[in-house]
Amino acid sequence: MKSAVVTFPASNCNRDMFDALEKITGQRPHEIWHQDTDVPNVDLIALPGGFSFGDYLRCGAMAARSPAIKAVAAHAERGGNVIGVCNGFQVLTEMGLLPGALMRNRSLKFVCKTVQLKVENENSTFTNAYNQGQVINIPVAHHDGNYFADDETLARIEDNGQVAFRYVNHSGEATKDANPNGSQNNIAGIMNEQGNILGMMPHPERLIEDAQGGTDGRGFFDSIINSLN
Amino acid sequence: MTEIIWENNPEITEDLVKEHGLSEDEHQLMIKILGRTPTLTELGIFSVMWSEHCSYKSSKLHLKTLPTKAPWVIHGPGENAGVIDIGDNQAAIFKMESHNHPSYIEPYQGAATGVGGILRDVFTMGARPIANMNALRFGSPEHHKTRHLLSGVVEGIGGYGNCVGVPTVGGETNFHPSYDGNILVNAMAVGLADQDKIFLSAAAGVGNPVIYVGSKTGRDGIHGATMASAEFTEDSEEKRPTVQVGDPFTEKLLIEACIELMSTDMVVAIQDMGAAGLTSSSVEMASGGGVGFTINLDEVPQREEGMTPYEMMLSESQERMLVVLKPDRVEEAKKIFVKWDLDFAVIGEITDTGNLTLNWQGKTVADIPTQPLADNSPEYDRPWVKTVAPDTIDPASVAAPSDLGEALLKMVGSANMSSRAWIWEQYDHQVMADTIQLPGGDAAVVRVHDTDKALAISTDCTPRYVYADPFEGGKQAVAETWRNVTAVGATPMAITDCLNFGNPERPDIMGQFVGAIDGLREACTVLDYPVISGNVSLYNETNGTGIHPTPAIGGVGLLKDSSKMVTIAPKNDGDILVLVGETKGHIGCTQYLDIIEGREEGAPPPVDLEIEKRNGDFVRAQIQNGSVTACHDISDGGLFIALAEMAMASGKGMEIALNNGDVPLHAYGFGEDQARYIISLPADKLGEINSAADKAGVIIETIGVMQGNSLDIKDAMTISVEELLGAHDAWMPSYMSTES
Amino acid sequence: MKARVHITLKNGVLDPQGKAIQHALGSLGFDGVDDVRQGKYIELDLSTTDKAAAEANVEEMCKKLLANMVIENYSIEIE
Amino acid sequence: MKARVHITLKNGVLDPQGKAIQHALGSLGFDGVDDVRQGKYIELDLSTTDKAAAEANVEEMCKKLLANMVIENYSIEIE
Ligand SMILES: Nc1ncnc2c1ncn2[C@@H]1O[C@H](COP(=O)(O)OP(=O)(O)O)[C@@H](O)[C@H]1O
Ligand SMILES: [Mg+2]
């Protein structure tokens, strides 16, 4: 799989994403700088986590207006795969490529810990290596991951199976306690209608080797590779 | 000599000199160095350079006695941060620094800028920062300011560290009334560099350009350095000097830009602008290289209009660096900073005069010989009296609690011993994807990217021990970091220290300082664990009440094979638990005595450094040869607490029977004797370990086995792990969710 | 000229910050606070002296960057 | 009644957010923006109908919670 990682000023998980993609795909991803106006022809573009532009004004707002983003949107328009993790998810909602918005965590505090996610849709490009309903561990680290969409949008993405991951407890129940940020319907990650764009707050790229405490994040990347075959 | 222009210059009266915190002797010395009366700008420069914070005038004499060398030390104290060799041409670079006073006035920004400052000390040497740590002390939980300060400081550390993308992997947090009016916020940063790419601050090359990069200069924190050197009074809170606001976004850009710049061969010298900003950076670079600097202040990027030379030189605006470039490389360097959207200005050049010459609006406003300014800074041998150590308390004289299990629950759920997850969950401790031991263990462990190596880091100090007996307490602080680093399987390499004390002009406080330094020296020497960087913060007092003396130690160790690392959580039922070290039931100065008996009394546990070394070397060897499945050192709260912590970390129970002889069980279980560990191992390794201990002359004893769901200690308690966790996890979230 | 921009959350959009403030005010003993909403206030110094042009310009800025039209409203005053 | 509170940074205090917004506006092609400062805007619904009491009350809220008096100023309108 050919991939590329976009770096914005103050992206800080770009190297983590780059390394994870390189380790899992065996190919060095391309690097896209936020001011690049065209992007290489790849199977996947990743918008990494971090604090693009300091997260000033709104998380992801300034990044969503940078030159490279136009090319990313064009790639998505052509049906190319795009993932946004954490700050990348915020950028995708700010771009309007994914519905809703990510608000300040309910606690108002930054939260970094390992949470449990339930795989909601085993058929998607991004989840097919997992089983339906499987509960996986993935770390979160964010200040603004509280997913909000109006009722109509929410109903639509639920009905369409656009919810990829939900925060759950160890038994797989989407309880309030299992929700680290107050997201509606415990939503941790969503896809667009066409199923080629995904945004999620948790960081699969941080859990791909035993030394990191587990490998539950690998399935996410393996899914994308599978979907290309 | 250059003609000094006096226009717009107030008369330098005695009052003005005093206001600048300079003594009469220092005033005369300044006149002697200059050969004339200073200008206002010059007075400002002398006052900050000779402040306690920058000149170490009260502490230098004693700091010099610390051991700073070892074959693996590349740069010891004297640089922005210390540097050690970790093999394969790689170096670890680290330092710890205080930001106490600013954090008390504005906890969020004070702590945030503390993190920013220590990161700059590390990346200015060419390192990519890979880990942040902190050591925090707050007043009593009942004090009306404590919640506000705790929440602001933690948010500030997270707000800055999370944004710049350096994981904050650990630290320590204490509460004690002695910090009610003077909290301590000590931040440590660790970075990685190639040994042949380390950058120093000594300037060289007459004619070379001096470059200013980063943020613009505003009127922030003018006199921050002198504030850090003055005692607090009630109304210093009212004066509210312009607080420095951190801009982590700019810092992140600055890190990336500097690393990019330093990957070329353009840089002659580089130095961050820390305390006393442009003044200390230019003076240190010039005096360090034996050259002069001419600076045209009109070229300094300014955030506000009408700034005077005095203000520009004393501003502590954040996120700025000073760089000396090779000639003809300015355009090339500028491109990098333009790419990262940072200010870049040529503000001067290197001269052969040895002077710092400042020009502004066509006039010379200062012209100071830097060598005497830096080298002849005052040095005091302050009078001191030795602290009289309290008597040792006989364990038999302390009555047993009515229920040992209840005592344990109370302790694991107390302010000082409860879980700090509320804090570390606000820090991104996993960014960079190399954190292989998360907060909550004995030491944080971060991999050296793309290698099998890892660094173990721990910050420690037990201020109540240091207060009771500065010498033993000083030893203990060093020994505890050494033990923590050992407990994950790493080889301790070196320390940084952050020495927080009260007013050095008081002989009793100076006695604490001297005693603690003596203890540090002895421990570092015996443990072969040199001091490679550090910081001194004095005058931590409010209205004449000093803090508990707090020499916070940051220790760093190396794991050559990170797959050998262990945590405090035994993984398998049936694993045998072995106690390493001798237990005599030392009860004085313990958490038990404080929390259960309400007594802060007695001599602290003595530290026998020979035994410390022998036991630690034994434990490390067992971890490194793969015999051990988990390890935890025994410190605050003693054996019972250490066992409870292991049970909670693993979520598993244990069955324990202790051989306490004639030591009362509560003293045996809660005593804080030093040099001890608990290790867990598969039953089939027991024979091997026993003979290894015999051979090494280390006392070990099998005390139990992992099994069930409860901590079951014969004749003492049976408590479910769930109940322990309930008490342990509850305190801080519940404390922070109640309003004061 | 100066432009003052207020950015507020649309009706029906959850406001965690406002909620938290309301809660904190309650715990501090302030009674009778029925609702709290938090927004942003942005002041811009513009070099133009043409009020209409300024207004149009700032309107564009709001749409393009300052506000997220999915969840926020904006209002502009020029002076 | 409604209280509107504006919280702004004191003069001379660095405003990283404002600076970044100004810069971003520049990159989006908006010229002539000389300065940007970002503050907070808080709306409170109060159950009281006594304007003076409301004012005094909100003043207290600002001092105790809403504003960080070390670096921020506040202003209150009651309506
Ligand atoms: N307590 C100490 N122990 C050892 N070295 C110290 C101590 N305090 C300061 N130093 C060293 O003195 C030098 C100057 O320290 P400091 O002024 O804090 O640095 P900076 O100017 O970079 O902030 C540094 O090299 C520091 O490591
Ligand atoms: Mg420095």
Side-chain angles (χ1 to χ4, degrees):
Chain A
M1 178 170 78
K2 284 187 286 178
S3 61
V5 179
V6 185
T7 299
F8 303 99
S11 289
N12 64 33
C13 304
N14 47 326
R15 189 188 75 179
D16 305 354
M17 180 61 81
F18 187 96
D19 288 354
L21 285 167
E22 182 171 18
K23 278 179 188 151
I24 294 170
T25 66
Q27 292 184 52
R28 274 181 76 77
H30 292 270
E31 294 176 70
I32 302 175
W33 179 237
H34 71 118
Q35 282 173 331
D36 292 350
T37 43
D38 44 35
V39 301
N41 186 11
V42 292
D43 304 306
L44 171 74
I45 295 179
L47 307 180
F51 284 70
S52 60
F53 297 90
D55 273 358
Y56 296 158
L57 187 63
R58 289 182 315 278
C59 301
M62 298 185 199
R65 277 107 187 136
S66 57
I69 277 303
K70 291 203 183 77
V72 172
H75 163 91
E77 184 76 14
R78 290 191 297 268
N81 294 322
V82 178
I83 57 172
V85 166
C86 199
N87 196 232
F89 186 10
Q90 294 159 345
V91 174
L92 289 170
T93 57
E94 278 283 342
M95 289 167 69
L97 286 184
L98 290 175
L102 292 146
M103 320 273 297
R104 182 56 43 105
N105 294 346
R106 183 179 49 200
S107 65
L108 302 195
K109 295 195 185 321
F110 189 94
V111 59
C112 176
K113 62 179 180 187
T114 296
V115 299
Q116 283 67 51
L117 300 182
K118 184 169 164 193
V119 177
E120 289 289 346
N121 176 347
E122 70 171 351
N123 299 317
S124 83
T125 300
F126 307 100
T127 53
N128 59 68
Y130 299 114
N131 301 321
Q132 186 78 21
Q134 186 179 343
V135 176
I136 57 174
N137 293 316
I138 304 280
V140 291
H142 58 251
H143 212 163
D144 300 79
N146 186 348
Y147 183 75
F148 172 85
D150 59 47
D151 294 344
E152 191 194 320
T153 309
L154 204 57
R156 194 179 67 236
I157 61 176
E158 290 283 4
D159 290 349
N160 287 345
Q162 286 173 243
V163 176
F165 301 105
R166 221 184 286 279
Y167 302 110
V168 294
N169 61 18
H170 288 276
S171 335
E173 296 149 347
T175 60
K176 189 171 176 205
D177 282 349
N179 186 339
N181 52 33
S183 286
Q184 283 181 329
N185 295 7
N186 283 39
I187 288 174
I190 58 168
M191 297 173 283
N192 64 339
E193 256 181 70
Q194 293 70 32
N196 64 324
I197 303 174
L198 169 135
M200 66 192 292
M201 290 312 296
H203 287 273
E205 79 281 12
R206 290 188 185 182
L207 213 58
I208 59 159
E209 294 173 65
D210 285 324
Q212 294 165 323
T215 57
D216 281 4
R218 268 189 173 261
F220 174 73
F221 298 99
D222 287 339
S223 299
I224 309 173
I225 296 172
N226 293 343
S227 75
L228 295 172
N229 299 329
Chain B
M1 205 187 86
T2 332
E3 189 191 353
I4 304 293
I5 304 296
W6 291 93
E7 262 170 273
N8 305 329
N9 232 332
E11 194 191 331
I12 306 299
T13 60
E14 264 174 42
D15 280 351
L16 196 58
V17 171
K18 228 192 231 145
E19 257 174 58
H20 279 77
L22 291 177
S23 69
E24 190 45 37
D25 286 351
E26 290 165 358
H27 182 191
Q28 292 312 323
L29 184 57
M30 167 174 64
I31 291 175
K32 203 173 135 213
I33 288 174
L34 288 171
R36 57 179 165 75
T37 329
T39 65
L40 178 65
T41 304
E42 288 170 336
L43 174 61
I45 291 174
F46 273 91
S47 89
V48 292
M49 287 306 296
W50 287 359
S51 71
E52 190 66 60
H53 186 80
C54 292
S55 73
Y56 293 89
K57 56 191 170 191
S58 304
S59 56
K60 253 194 286 200
L61 187 70
H62 304 281
L63 290 180
K64 282 182 202 154
T65 69
L66 290 171
T68 59
K69 294 203 164 62
W72 54 89
V73 174
I74 299 175
H75 291 291
E79 294 301 333
N80 283 302
V83 183
I84 56 170
D85 179 352
I86 58 166
D88 313 307
N89 187 39
Q90 290 180 304
I93 302 188
F94 58 91
K95 183 169 181 213
M96 175 153 51
E97 200 158 70
S98 65
H99 230 212
N100 304 336
H101 290 92
S103 302
Y104 185 76
I105 293 172
E106 211 313 274
Y108 183 98
Q109 296 298 345
T113 51
V115 173
I118 195 63
L119 284 169
R120 285 192 293 282
D121 270 334
V122 164
F123 74 73
T124 195
M125 299 199 66
R128 176 172 285 282
I130 60 162
N132 280 326
M133 297 280 291
N134 52 84
L136 311 176
R137 323 277 161 185
F138 298 97
S140 144
E142 285 76 43
H143 190 271
H144 69 280
K145 286 202 125 166
T146 301
R147 276 185 190 82
H148 162 73
L149 292 168
L150 173 58
S151 94
V153 164
V154 169
E155 251 178 80
I157 291 173
Y160 207 98
N162 298 346
C163 182
V164 296
V166 177
T168 301
V169 291
E172 55 167 352
T173 312
N174 289 165
F175 299 90
H176 189 275
S178 78
Y179 307 105
D180 279 352
N182 199 127
I183 61 172
L184 302 184
V185 175
N186 297 170
M188 173 176 174
V190 182
L192 269 185
D194 286 340
Q195 288 175 23
D196 52 7
K197 277 273 175 201
I198 289 170
F199 291 81
L200 305 179
S201 63
V206 172
N208 279 346
V210 176
I211 317 290
Y212 170 119
V213 299
S215 284
K216 292 184 169 42
T217 297
R219 293 192 174 92
D220 322 63
I222 290 175
H223 273 170
T226 33
M227 172 174 83
S229 310
E231 200 176 308
F232 254 26
T233 56
E234 288 294 343
D235 64 61
S236 43
E237 226 180 304
E238 293 312 310
K239 276 188 211 143
R240 302 217 151 128
T242 324
V243 169
Q244 310 153 43
V245 169
D247 180 357
F249 171 46
T250 298
E251 178 100 338
K252 172 67 175 166
L253 303 184
L254 198 55
I255 293 176
E256 298 303 332
C258 286
I259 288 176
E260 198 170 320
L261 178 74
M262 293 188 287
S263 71
T264 68
D265 65 346
M266 294 184 243
V267 178
V268 176
I270 177 165
Q271 162 82 16
D272 62 297
M273 296 191 215
L278 201 44
T279 291
S280 65
S281 52
S282 54
V283 170
E284 279 165 27
M285 292 180 89
S287 67
V291 296
F293 266 40
T294 296
I295 291 178
N296 181 1
L297 292 172
D298 302 310
E299 300 299 329
V300 170
Q302 293 158 49
R303 199 171 80 227
E304 294 178 55
E305 275 168 30
M307 289 193 66
T308 65
Y310 179 93
E311 290 172 326
M312 280 186 247
M313 291 309 289
L314 268 56
S315 160
E316 294 195 348
S317 289
Q318 302 289 298
E319 294 94 21
R320 303 179 298 162
M321 315 278 281
L322 207 56
V323 189
V324 175
L325 287 179
K326 290 186 183 161
D328 307 324
R329 308 295 291 273
V330 171
E331 284 313 310
E332 217 178 314
K334 185 171 180 179
K335 273 204 193 105
I336 295 174
F337 289 87
V338 168
K339 169 182 165 197
W340 291 100
D341 273 327
L342 293 162
D343 270 295
F344 177 101
V346 180
I347 62 166
E349 66 174 37
I350 307 290
T351 65
D352 59 5
T353 64
N355 284 15
L356 174 64
T357 310
L358 303 177
N359 298 322
W360 179 64
Q361 301 189 349
K363 299 168 234 160
T364 299
V365 293
D367 191 27
I368 306 175
T370 60
Q371 211 84 49
L373 170 60
D375 297 352
N376 298 357
S377 68
E379 176 172 328
Y380 298 130
D381 184 1
R382 302 236 187 241
W384 57 277
V385 293
K386 190 166 184 256
T387 309
V388 180
D391 292 336
T392 299
I393 297 178
D394 176 3
S397 74
V398 177
S402 54
D403 184 325
L404 283 165
E406 260 168 43
L408 178 68
L409 273 177
K410 188 167 176 192
M411 288 172 68
V412 295
S414 66
N416 275 317
M417 309 201 62
S418 55
S419 166
R420 269 53 180 136
W422 184 89
I423 294 175
W424 77 62
E425 285 181 357
Q426 295 185 56
Y427 302 149
D428 190 341
H429 46 261
Q430 287 175 303
V431 61
M432 301 185 96
D434 280 320
T435 309
I436 58 172
Q437 175 138 190
L438 306 183
D442 282 327
V445 183
V446 286
R447 275 189 308 200
V448 175
H449 197 63
D450 280 340
T451 72
D452 294 329
K453 295 182 291 190
L455 299 176
I457 317 162
S458 177
T459 55
D460 297 281
C461 178
T462 314
R464 63 181 188 278
Y465 295 172
V466 190
Y467 179 69
D469 184 341
F471 177 67
E472 286 301 328
K475 275 160 61 181
Q476 197 276 343
V478 175
E480 190 171 341
T481 68
W482 190 87
R483 210 181 293 149
N484 277 323
V485 165
T486 293
V488 299
T491 305
M493 303 282 284
I495 64 167
T496 180
D497 61 22
C498 191
L499 308 177
N500 308 274
F501 288 77
N503 179 351
E505 294 160 45
R506 282 174 40 190
D508 55 329
I509 301 287
M510 203 56 209
Q512 294 175 340
F513 187 79
V514 174
I517 292 272
D518 286 346
L520 257 55
R521 180 175 59 247
E522 186 150 321
C524 292
T525 306
V526 176
L527 299 174
D528 214 1
Y529 197 32
V531 180
I532 63 159
S533 63
N535 169 245
V536 178
S537 170
L538 300 175
Y539 297 96
N540 289 290
E541 314 211 343
T542 305
N543 297 330
T545 318
I547 56 160
H548 269 182
T550 311
I553 307 295
V556 173
L558 176 66
L559 271 144
K560 286 211 175 97
D561 176 358
S562 60
S563 69
K564 294 281 163 56
M565 177 194 83
V566 296
T567 69
I568 70 167
K571 295 196 182 48
N572 309 308
D573 282 344
D575 274 2
I576 305 294
L577 294 159
V578 170
L579 170 62
V580 178
E582 196 181 3
T583 304
K584 295 179 179 159
H586 184 98
I587 201 78
C589 248
T590 58
Q591 287 286 0
Y592 175 82
L593 203 60
D594 180 12
I595 296 170
I596 305 299
E597 296 278 321
R599 293 164 59 188
E600 292 183 50
E601 289 166 28
V607 182
D608 183 323
L609 293 161
E610 299 294 341
I611 296 179
E612 191 73 57
K613 185 152 191 344
R614 195 185 314 145
N615 293 359
D617 289 347
F618 167 77
V619 166
R620 189 179 322 105
Q622 300 315 309
I623 297 172
Q624 288 179 352
N625 75 22
S627 306
V628 169
T629 57
C631 177
H632 190 13
D633 77 308
I634 300 179
S635 56
D636 267 2
L639 175 60
F640 284 168
I641 289 286
L643 288 168
E645 287 169 347
M646 292 176 87
M648 289 188 284
S650 66
K652 293 179 190 302
M654 31 178 83
E655 193 154 314
I656 306 288
L658 298 171
N659 177 16
N660 54 314
D662 49 15
V663 180
L665 193 52
H666 63 288
Y668 193 89
F670 290 120
E672 295 179 4
D673 309 82
Q674 300 293 297
R676 294 183 300 158
Y677 303 78
I678 302 164
I679 53 180
S680 72
L681 35 125
D684 62 5
K685 294 275 187 200
L686 199 52
E688 227 172 275
I689 289 257
N690 273 318
S691 53
D694 253 5
K695 212 155 131 208
V698 170
I699 297 177
I700 71 169
E701 196 181 329
T702 300
I703 56 170
V705 59
M706 296 303 298
Q707 83 183 32
N709 302 311
S710 296
L711 174 61
D712 188 342
I713 304 177
K714 189 161 170 272
D715 299 331
M717 65 188 78
T718 302
I719 308 179
S720 74
V721 176
E722 208 182 326
E723 196 177 353
L724 284 170
L725 278 168
H728 190 59
D729 291 346
W731 186 82
M732 199 172 280
S734 114
Y735 172 70
M736 290 309 294
S737 65
T738 21
E739 304 299 325
S740 42
Chain C
M1 327 192 77
K2 248 199 164 59
R4 300 178 208 283
V5 178
H6 285 86
I7 296 168
T8 49
L9 288 169
K10 288 190 174 160
N11 269 337
V13 175
L14 129 139
D15 177 7
Q17 273 134 317
K19 277 271 160 310
I21 293 172
Q22 186 180 358
H23 180 84
L25 287 172
S27 344
L28 286 174
F30 291 103
D31 296 330
V33 181
D34 299 333
D35 195 22
V36 180
R37 304 282 284 171
Q38 176 169 328
K40 287 185 194 114
Y41 170 62
I42 299 175
E43 276 179 8
L44 302 122
D45 284 345
L46 304 173
S47 46
T48 179
T49 51
D50 173 343
K51 194 167 165 179
E55 184 129 20
N57 208 13
V58 175
E59 176 104 25
E60 268 308 294
M61 293 179 197
C62 286
K63 285 198 184 132
K64 280 218 176 129
L65 179 71
L66 302 182
N68 176 346
M69 302 301 295
V70 177
I71 47 171
E72 293 172 328
N73 292 323
Y74 60 87
S75 73
I76 302 171
E77 296 157 53
I78 307 276
E79 154 193 316
Chain D
M1 341 191 64
K2 246 198 165 58
R4 299 178 207 285
V5 179
H6 286 87
I7 296 170
T8 49
L9 286 169
K10 289 189 175 159
N11 264 339
V13 174
L14 173 74
D15 178 7
Q17 308 239 17
K19 204 176 73 177
I21 295 170
Q22 184 183 359
H23 190 88
L25 288 171
S27 338
L28 287 175
F30 291 103
D31 297 329
V33 181
D34 298 333
D35 195 21
V36 179
R37 306 279 284 171
Q38 175 169 333
K40 281 185 202 128
Y41 170 63
I42 300 175
E43 277 178 8
L44 302 122
D45 284 346
L46 305 173
S47 45
T48 179
T49 52
D50 173 344
K51 192 167 167 179
E55 183 129 21
N57 209 12
V58 175
E59 175 107 25
E60 270 302 296
M61 294 179 195
C62 286
K63 285 196 184 135
K64 280 218 176 129
L65 181 75
L66 303 181
N68 176 350
M69 301 298 296
V70 182
I71 50 176
E72 294 173 330
N73 290 323
Y74 61 86
S75 73
I76 302 171
E77 295 156 54
I78 307 274
E79 148 193 321

